[in-house]
């Protein structure tokens, strides 16, 4: 296969998991266990514990700080760029590191204050299994980053982090000479979209297979750092908690396993995916906070009625201790969520990313909580309301709006972005695609929507709705109709306090602003266009794309 073909395949499959690769004969499976695992075991070289899986993978863990200092597969070293190791967060510092072998499993335990981290190897496998137990916020964020030497894999992904000549925001968003932007933030994937991330080249694949994220935060639609590549090497991330554009409080406890997996160039085995993995071999290892399958329960729903079948539906479970989710079957809304820790959860039904129903469920160890058909009331879905006109769809995302597709992997200043200004005419057929997905006080505040009303419509008061998916610096819409009637400045809803719109995420707390527009505001000439001007109100933010802003879900005028 040519390099061009290899790059095309990589872009399609190397990040996406599950259904994205199922049934593809071109993808080889994981490396099979070796016929002889006689070399399985560990040694101590004085500075590191050296673990040989007996399948061609040898890795070293520092006895001082628990860093992964070497990752050798079939004689080739993959670990390290810029002289840095792979590790939790940016490195834990001096830790207590121990090792033990239990039959065909080796476990390295790392204790750093209240944080505990683990590496496990199984005889005959080219995998490193990892767990991280974060008991409190003494470590501010939680990630594991696998640092890969430069030149091992092609730097060909659209979300690759490439250091560029110009820094355009903070110290982590860059512009190339051609005007395209790059950042480690631009993952372009929600957690629900992938099972693994990584690279493949020359018959070798290196991947991180993600955990179930039960102790992470942000829910199924959260976007975070996934991978980056630059001149000095690459990184693969497992983000266990990240504060940027975060909608939930941090959860604590054991997260994992997540897996560093080598393959023969194909996708990781689906047996490593969090939904499929059998971890019974780890039940007796003594991992702090570990709960075996027998200590977990399941939630199953017969179906969901009242759905709009044009949209995917997701069911989420969340409380202060854990989060889970599962897809509802398109035919009838059946869902099943397994491996749930005991407790009482808020169950949320999402249409796209818009919450349309909530209830409470209790999960018990070793049992299935079965729910009868959930009926979503028609009034819970704003898309069911009769509208005179509507821009966008009520699905909790800015999908379909101008520049929406680009914004999950580029900065708003990117040369590929269409103009953020420009007005919209109802009835043109381009209402949604012409309306920008984001509005900022300092960039495009005051965009105008032109529309006509019949005599009967103009004689009545109407409700105008603007749905938003997140906001930066308390940005919220204030409207003016026909330069004669102005709404009050609405109060800001609760939203993440960090950057959002410029770091690849529109996901916050969906909120609908409503405005009661009196009949006196409309033009009585039915041939004339009424004007709706939408401004961004806020005294916060700075300038340009870091001025106060908001992301649009839908806008409509109700009949």
């Amino acid at each position: 296969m040519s390099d061009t073909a290899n790059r095309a395949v990589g872009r399609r499959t190397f990040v996406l998991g599950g259904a994205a690769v199922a049934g593809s004969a071109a993808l080889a499976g994981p490396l099979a266990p070796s016929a002889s695992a006689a070399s399985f075991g560990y040694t101590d070289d004085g500075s590191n514990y050296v673990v040989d899986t007996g399948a061609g993978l040898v890795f070293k863990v520092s006895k001082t700080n628990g860093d992964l200092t070497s990752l050798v597969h079939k004689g080739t070293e993959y670990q390290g760029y810029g002289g840095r190791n792979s590790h939790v967060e940016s490195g834990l510092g001096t830790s207590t590191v121990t090792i033990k072998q239990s039959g065909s499993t080796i476990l390295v335990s790392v204790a750093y204050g209240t944080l505990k981290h683990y590496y496990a190897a199984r005889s005959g496998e080219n995998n490193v299994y990892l767990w991280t137990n974060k008991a409190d916020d003494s470590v501010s964020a939680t990630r594991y980053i696998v640092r890969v030497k430069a030149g091992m894999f092609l730097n060909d992904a659209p979300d690759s982090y490439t250091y560029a000549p110009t820094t355009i925001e903070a110290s982590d968003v860059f512009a190339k000479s051609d005007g395209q932007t790059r950042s480690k933030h631009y993952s372009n994937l929600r957690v629900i979209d992938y099972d693994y991330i990584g690279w493949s080249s020359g018959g070798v694949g290196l991947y991180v297979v993600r955990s179930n994220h039960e102790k992470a935060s942000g829910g199924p639609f959260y976007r975070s750092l996934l991978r980056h590549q630059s001149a000095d090497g690459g990184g693969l991330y497992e983000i266990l908690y990240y504060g940027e554009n975060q909608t939930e409080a941090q959860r604590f406890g054991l997260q994992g396993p997540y897996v560093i997996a080598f393959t023969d160039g194909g996708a990781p085995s689906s047996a490593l995916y969090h939904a499929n993995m059998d971890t019974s071999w780890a039940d007796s290892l003594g991992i702090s906070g570990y709960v075996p399958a027998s200590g977990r329960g399941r939630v199953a729903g017969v179906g969901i009625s009242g759905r709009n079948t044009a949209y995917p539906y997701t069911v989420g479970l969340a409380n202060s201790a854990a989060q889970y989710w599962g897809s509802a079957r398109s035919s009838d809304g059946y869902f099943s969520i397994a491996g749930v820790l005991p407790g009482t959860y808020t169950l949320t039904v999402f249409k796209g990313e818009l919450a349309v129903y909530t209830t409470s469920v209790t999960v018990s160890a070793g049992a299935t909580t079965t729910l009868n058909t959930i009926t979503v009331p028609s009034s819970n879905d704003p898309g069911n309301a009769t509208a005179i006109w509507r821009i966008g769809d009520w699905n909790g995302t800015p999908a379909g709006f101008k520049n929406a597709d680009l914004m999950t992997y580029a900065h708003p200043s990117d040369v590929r972005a269409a103009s953020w200004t420009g007005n919209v005419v109802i009835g043109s057929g381009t209402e949604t695609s012409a309306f920008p997905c984001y509005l900022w006080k300092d960039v495009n505040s005051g965009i105008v929507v032109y529309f006509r009303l019949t005599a009967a419509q103009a004689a009545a008061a109407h409700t105008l709705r603007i749905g938003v998916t997140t906001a930066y610096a308390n940005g919220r819409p204030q409207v003016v109709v026909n330069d004669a009637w102005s709404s009050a400045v609405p109060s800001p809803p609760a939203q993440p306090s960090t950057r959002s719109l410029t770091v690849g995420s529109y996901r916050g707390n969906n909120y609908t602003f409503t405005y009661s527009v009196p009949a006196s505001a409309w033009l009585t000439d039915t041939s004339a266009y009424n004007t709706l001007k939408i401004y961004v109100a806020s005294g916060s933010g700075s300038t340009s794309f870091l001025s106060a802003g908001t992301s649009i879900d839908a806008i409509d005028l109700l009949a």
Side-chain angles (χ1 to χ4, degrees):
M1 184 180 288
S2 68
D3 285 346
T4 300
N6 270 313
R7 285 192 291 270
V9 171
R11 187 161 296 157
R12 186 173 63 252
T13 64
F14 288 168
V15 173
L16 296 177
V21 298
S24 175
L27 290 176
L31 285 172
S34 62
S36 172
S39 60
F40 177 73
Y42 72 88
T43 57
D44 181 341
D45 70 3
S47 299
N48 307 277
Y49 290 120
V50 183
V51 179
D52 189 334
T53 69
L57 174 61
V58 179
F59 64 92
K60 297 181 180 181
V61 178
S62 167
K63 294 168 58 180
T64 300
N65 56 22
D67 284 2
L68 189 68
T69 61
S70 177
L71 194 61
V72 174
H73 176 251
K74 292 189 174 181
T76 299
E77 176 68 78
Y78 287 85
Q79 154 61 36
Y81 69 81
R84 304 179 72 181
N85 297 325
S86 299
H87 41 57
V88 175
E89 202 44 30
S90 295
L92 293 177
T94 302
S95 306
T96 300
V97 184
T98 59
I99 191 168
K100 70 175 181 178
Q101 182 170 342
S102 303
S104 59
T105 301
I106 294 170
L107 182 71
V108 180
S109 302
V110 181
Y112 175 77
T114 61
L115 186 145
K116 294 179 173 61
H117 179 71
Y118 303 90
Y119 301 90
R122 302 186 70 197
S123 178
E125 293 188 5
N126 283 298
N127 305 316
V128 183
Y129 298 86
L130 302 94
W131 288 263
T132 305
N133 188 336
K134 183 177 180 181
D136 52 42
D137 60 3
S138 57
V139 176
S140 59
T142 309
R143 67 178 180 181
Y144 193 90
I145 180 169
V146 180
R147 300 187 184 274
V148 183
K149 288 172 60 178
M152 306 306 295
F153 300 101
L154 293 173
N155 186 4
D156 63 350
D159 61 339
S160 289
Y161 181 33
T162 304
Y163 293 111
T166 306
T167 303
I168 59 174
E169 184 176 300
S171 59
D172 54 12
V173 183
F174 304 91
K176 297 171 61 180
S177 58
D178 62 3
Q180 292 192 15
T181 54
R182 295 288 187 270
S183 175
K184 62 184 178 182
H185 298 286
Y186 298 149
S187 69
N188 196 29
L189 290 174
R190 307 168 303 172
V191 179
I192 197 173
D193 293 330
Y194 71 95
D195 289 305
Y196 59 87
I197 46 122
W199 301 292
S200 179
S201 179
V204 176
L206 173 56
Y207 300 91
V208 167
V209 183
R210 75 166 175 87
S211 67
N212 67 353
H213 280 219
E214 71 180 0
K215 295 295 184 179
S217 296
F221 313 122
Y222 188 65
R223 284 179 167 87
S224 191
L225 284 65
L226 290 182
R227 64 176 178 173
H228 73 260
Q229 281 181 281
S230 57
D232 55 357
L236 300 175
Y237 295 90
E238 167 74 341
I239 298 293
L240 306 176
Y241 175 77
Y242 195 58
E244 192 132 64
N245 203 40
Q246 183 58 254
T247 58
E248 295 184 295
Q250 185 170 184
R251 294 181 172 94
F252 299 108
L254 183 69
Q255 184 69 58
Y258 49 104
V259 187
I260 302 171
F262 281 92
T263 77
D264 58 2
S269 168
S270 61
L272 295 177
Y273 299 172
H274 59 89
N276 304 330
M277 190 188 300
D278 176 6
T279 59
S280 58
W281 55 269
D283 290 357
S284 60
L285 294 181
I287 295 172
S288 175
Y290 181 90
V291 178
S294 61
R296 297 170 178 270
R298 184 170 75 100
V299 176
V302 171
I304 304 172
S305 66
R307 293 174 299 122
N308 183 331
T309 56
Y311 299 91
Y313 281 70
T314 302
V315 178
L317 302 175
N319 62 21
S320 61
Q323 61 170 9
Y324 308 91
W325 55 82
S327 297
R329 193 160 62 192
S330 60
S331 59
D332 56 8
Y334 168 83
F335 62 90
S336 177
I337 305 172
V340 180
L341 293 172
T344 298
Y345 294 83
T346 297
L347 180 151
T348 303
V349 176
F350 296 93
K351 169 197 173 187
E353 296 186 15
L354 183 66
V356 292
Y357 180 86
T358 61
T359 190
S360 179
V361 297
T362 298
V363 179
S364 300
T368 297
T369 301
T370 302
L371 304 177
N372 293 326
T373 298
I374 292 172
T375 299
V376 177
S378 179
S379 59
N380 283 20
D381 183 349
N384 290 333
T386 301
I388 296 171
W389 54 259
R390 177 170 292 145
I391 304 174
D393 297 319
W394 289 96
N395 62 6
T397 81
F401 284 89
K402 182 164 64 174
N403 292 327
D405 288 345
L406 180 66
M407 286 300 96
T408 57
Y409 63 93
H411 190 268
S413 65
D414 195 289
V415 68
R416 293 167 290 180
S419 172
W420 287 103
T421 58
N423 301 320
V424 174
V425 179
I426 300 298
S428 64
T430 60
E431 296 92 338
T432 302
S433 61
F435 198 101
C437 62
Y438 298 162
L439 299 177
W440 290 273
K441 185 174 183 179
D442 204 32
V443 176
N444 54 358
S445 182
I447 277 185
V448 183
V449 178
Y450 295 90
F451 60 97
R452 291 190 176 101
L453 296 175
T454 66
Q457 291 167 343
H462 296 284
T463 296
L464 174 75
R465 303 187 301 183
I466 300 178
V468 303
T469 69
T470 194
Y472 174 69
N474 288 329
R476 66 265 197 200
Q478 180 185 21
V479 300
V480 175
V481 176
N482 293 319
D483 293 326
W485 179 88
S486 299
S487 72
V489 177
S491 298
Q495 295 290 1
S497 60
T498 63
R499 290 181 298 170
S500 54
L501 308 180
T502 59
V503 290
S505 180
Y506 58 77
R507 181 68 188 167
N509 295 311
N510 291 99
Y511 186 84
T512 301
F513 294 91
T514 60
Y515 310 84
S516 298
V517 184
S520 59
W522 311 123
L523 300 180
T524 56
D525 181 356
T526 58
S527 65
Y529 280 104
N530 289 268
T531 60
L532 167 68
K533 294 181 179 178
I534 304 175
Y535 295 91
V536 177
S538 175
S540 303
S542 56
T543 60
S544 188
F545 297 111
L546 287 177
S547 62
T550 192
S551 170
I552 304 298
D553 179 10
I555 305 170
D556 57 20
L557 184 67
L558 300 187

